[in-house]
Amino acid sequence: MSNGAVGLFGSENNDFNAVYFGLLLLGFSGALVARFQSKGMTYVLSAMAVAQMGIAVAAIIMGQHELPESSVTEILGVNFFFAVFWITASLLFRQAAVPFDQVGNQR
């Protein structure tokens, strides 16, 4: 994982980087609860996107942007970058949840 090697907030020794393990735990536990079904995974991945941006906001509120290695732009940019992937995956799972007989009849 990238935060173990370089650190998304400050250096790799910054304890705040550990919150990303919680994000992964959210995804893993959510996938188990959803039983890896498309409809449930849509919600799990959407929640991960919201949590990803919540981490960014919490980091700024807690002053992580004042570290020499981090800025508001970097914190928001990196987290938004990953949130876009979670949202994209969520939309793909949403599409996969549509029954085959309804694919041609979508509006």
Side-chain angles (χ1 to χ4, degrees), residues 18-93:
V19 298
Y20 287 107
F21 290 112
L23 182 68
L24 294 176
L25 182 62
L26 170 67
F28 182 72
S29 60
L32 289 176
V33 169
R35 299 190 318 172
F36 299 97
Q37 298 296 310
S38 299
K39 186 174 181 182
M41 290 302 293
T42 299
Y43 297 117
V44 171
L45 289 161
S46 295
M48 289 181 71
V50 170
Q52 184 86 47
M53 292 313 296
I55 289 170
V57 170
I60 292 168
I61 290 171
M62 295 179 71
Q64 296 296 315
H65 64 286
E66 296 172 358
L67 297 170
E69 300 92 357
S70 300
S71 70
V72 172
T73 305
E74 290 172 343
I75 290 171
L76 290 176
V78 167
N79 284 284
F80 181 76
F81 176 78
F82 286 108
V84 166
F85 285 117
W86 301 133
I87 290 294
T88 302
S90 174
L91 292 172
L92 291 170
F93 272 110

